[in-house]
Amino acid sequence: MVLTLAAGLIGLRLAAQLALNVLNASEVRRHAAGPPPAVAAMMDAATYGRAVGYSLAKLRFDSIVDTVDAAVLAAALASGVLPWLYAPFRALAPDGSWNGALYLLATGLLLGLVSLPFDWWGQFRLEQRFGFNQSTLRLWVADKLKGMLLVVGIGFPLLWALLGLVRWTGDRWWLWGFALLFGFQLLLIVLYPRLILPLFNRLTPLAAGELRERLLALADRTGFRARTIQVMDGSRRSAHSNAFFTGFGRFRRIVLYDTLVDQLAPGELEAVLAHEIGHYKRGHIPKMLAVSAALQAGGFALVAWLARSAWFNAAFGFPPRELAPTFLLFGLLSGLVTFWFSPVFNLVSRHHEYEADAFARDAVHGPGPLVDALRKLARKNLSNLTPHPLYSGFHYSHPTPVERERALTG
Ligand SMILES: [Zn+2]
């Protein structure tokens, strides 16, 4: 019964994902011969043609990945391989927590292996074909190994502690578990740009000169008081460009991709930085953290309830009332439900993007520079400027450049 329900949810999500991809592809094709006027103003015909090709190729690839993911998940749940693998780990220490943590990591890494060939294909075939790939096989393998070591190094102690909490704190363990995980996430936000990001990228302070003066003046004017603006060598892996904001409070910092610095004029970069500062000044980071905290607390309460039940673990062939399998099943199944809420999260995120854009427009005294930056970035990244509204509802955390330009100038 529970297994049937899970199978139904897997099928339902896959059907929705494939339908959205087909819907979006037909929307792109519908405009392929002649772009709408607002799009034609952003992209010349040749670039638009390449953007159409890139969008369609990505959608085909996504459909394959979605299908394989669903098949792997269904097979993992129905075949009995997960409880079969659990037995030897459990035998190591029937009352222990460390072996449960090892089991979760081993299972996660095994399931992650399936995605490796697709990840490779995406980078060295798809991105390569459209001129975006800058990575090498050697760098790609090194990235994967480092990522794996990080997952084990950080994940093992954290999972061990989470699984051990029941013994130390009793029925209220999930509240402590939530506090532990959320506290750890806050710590990670601070440590990420200092300890983890440098493992993968080189970060250098933006060189002295006109651009730096201009950006620091903007930061001063908007009350952001940036100490440094860092440039990251994103070009080592991809020609795609980006800017982002990490940390909070004293630990906040702004990181610009070197590709972005190369592609944009100083005035445009100033507008992009003003947008990032806008996220900070409008309080988007604490708001998103609060939402995430509420969701995680709810998730922990649900895990605790499922772990107490006699039916949940048993439905998938696991011994009942053992926490490690409940965590695993929750991790595998929760996406089947949260997928349907992604339009809500994207709606909030897009609202924040509009707010940050409006902040940037005021900070640089007019929409011109940000509009120019958005147009240039849409061309350089071959953005799909005509997504189907249902598709963008499920998949776009940002409004399209056309929508942003309309909001900026309207
Ligand atoms: Zn933004």
Side-chain angles (χ1 to χ4, degrees):
M1 168 66 188
V2 179
L3 211 56
T4 314
L5 181 67
L9 286 174
I10 293 172
L12 213 57
R13 180 178 66 171
L14 179 62
Q17 286 169 326
L18 295 179
L20 286 171
N21 290 349
V22 168
L23 208 58
N24 202 38
S26 71
E27 187 72 8
V28 170
R29 267 193 228 99
R30 193 164 73 81
H31 292 292
V39 173
M42 280 198 158
M43 269 183 195
D44 58 276
T47 310
Y48 182 69
R50 286 205 301 139
V52 166
Y54 183 49
S55 300
L56 293 176
K58 272 201 301 185
L59 286 165
R60 273 193 299 273
F61 181 56
D62 288 346
S63 290
I64 295 170
V65 171
D66 291 342
T67 307
V68 171
D69 281 350
V72 168
L73 180 57
L77 292 174
S79 66
V81 67
L82 299 174
W84 174 77
L85 196 65
Y86 182 56
F89 280 94
R90 188 169 181 254
L92 285 174
D95 287 324
S97 311
W98 60 272
N99 52 329
L102 277 186
Y103 168 68
L104 291 177
L105 286 172
T107 315
L109 290 177
L110 274 178
L111 291 172
L113 283 181
V114 180
S115 67
L116 276 182
F118 297 97
D119 199 277
W120 175 86
W121 203 92
Q123 184 71 22
F124 294 102
R125 288 289 179 272
L126 183 66
E127 292 290 291
Q128 179 81 36
R129 199 175 125 205
F130 291 91
F132 288 121
N133 175 44
Q134 315 254 43
S135 189
T136 60
L137 188 60
R138 193 191 158 91
L139 180 61
W140 184 82
V141 170
D143 282 351
K144 294 292 165 201
L145 287 175
K146 275 190 232 171
M148 219 169 74
L149 287 174
L150 269 176
V151 166
V152 174
I154 295 176
F156 180 68
L158 196 63
L159 287 169
W160 188 359
L162 280 177
L163 294 173
L165 277 172
V166 189
R167 233 187 323 286
W168 304 324
T169 60
D171 276 351
R172 290 283 173 87
W173 73 269
W174 62 273
L175 268 176
W176 292 98
F178 158 69
L180 175 70
L181 189 69
F182 194 68
F184 181 76
Q185 281 170 307
L186 292 183
L187 184 71
L188 208 59
I189 292 175
V190 174
L191 295 182
Y192 175 77
R194 288 167 186 235
L195 297 181
I196 296 177
L197 200 54
L199 294 176
F200 295 91
N201 284 95
R202 204 200 317 263
L203 290 147
T204 42
L206 183 61
E210 191 217 319
L211 178 64
R212 184 166 176 273
E213 292 311 309
R214 199 163 166 174
L215 296 185
L216 286 177
L218 167 83
D220 270 347
R221 199 163 76 231
T222 49
F224 184 74
R225 297 207 318 276
R227 264 171 304 198
T228 61
I229 296 159
Q230 291 184 302
V231 180
M232 189 181 105
D233 58 346
S235 60
R236 274 181 81 200
R237 294 186 181 80
S238 171
H240 283 299
S241 44
N242 205 351
F244 63 90
F245 182 97
T246 72
F248 51 80
R250 253 170 22 84
F251 303 101
R252 64 181 188 264
R253 58 184 64 197
I254 284 173
V255 181
L256 305 172
Y257 278 43
D258 55 354
T259 38
L260 191 78
V261 177
D262 288 343
Q263 287 168 6
L264 298 185
E268 295 161 358
L269 269 169
E270 190 183 1
V272 169
L273 183 66
H275 170 98
E276 296 303 323
I277 294 175
H279 279 307
Y280 173 77
K281 296 296 275 188
R282 292 280 177 265
H284 296 158
I285 293 119
K287 275 182 204 162
M288 294 314 270
L289 275 174
V291 171
S292 157
L295 289 173
Q296 284 178 34
F300 265 100
L302 190 57
V303 168
W305 178 71
L306 291 171
R308 268 199 312 274
S309 78
W311 56 270
F312 184 67
N313 283 2
F316 298 93
F318 286 102
R321 299 196 180 87
E322 293 195 14
L323 201 48
T326 311
F327 264 119
L328 176 70
L329 292 167
F330 182 80
L332 292 176
L333 297 171
S334 56
L336 299 174
V337 177
T338 53
F339 168 77
W340 300 97
F341 293 97
S342 45
V344 181
F345 296 116
N346 286 331
L347 209 63
V348 175
S349 169
R350 284 202 291 265
H351 175 67
H352 287 172
E353 294 306 321
Y354 283 127
E355 281 188 349
D357 277 354
F359 179 90
R361 180 187 53 200
D362 298 342
V364 302
H365 311 300
L370 191 54
V371 166
D372 289 344
L374 288 171
R375 288 181 171 199
K376 219 180 246 181
L377 292 176
R379 287 195 293 272
K380 293 285 183 190
N381 291 306
L382 297 180
S383 304
N384 176 12
L385 298 178
T386 60
H388 191 281
L390 263 180
Y391 183 88
S392 57
F394 269 90
H395 288 288
Y396 280 29
S397 60
H398 286 54
T400 67
V402 177
E403 291 166 329
R404 292 173 72 176
E405 182 171 328
R406 197 181 302 138
L408 274 166
T409 54

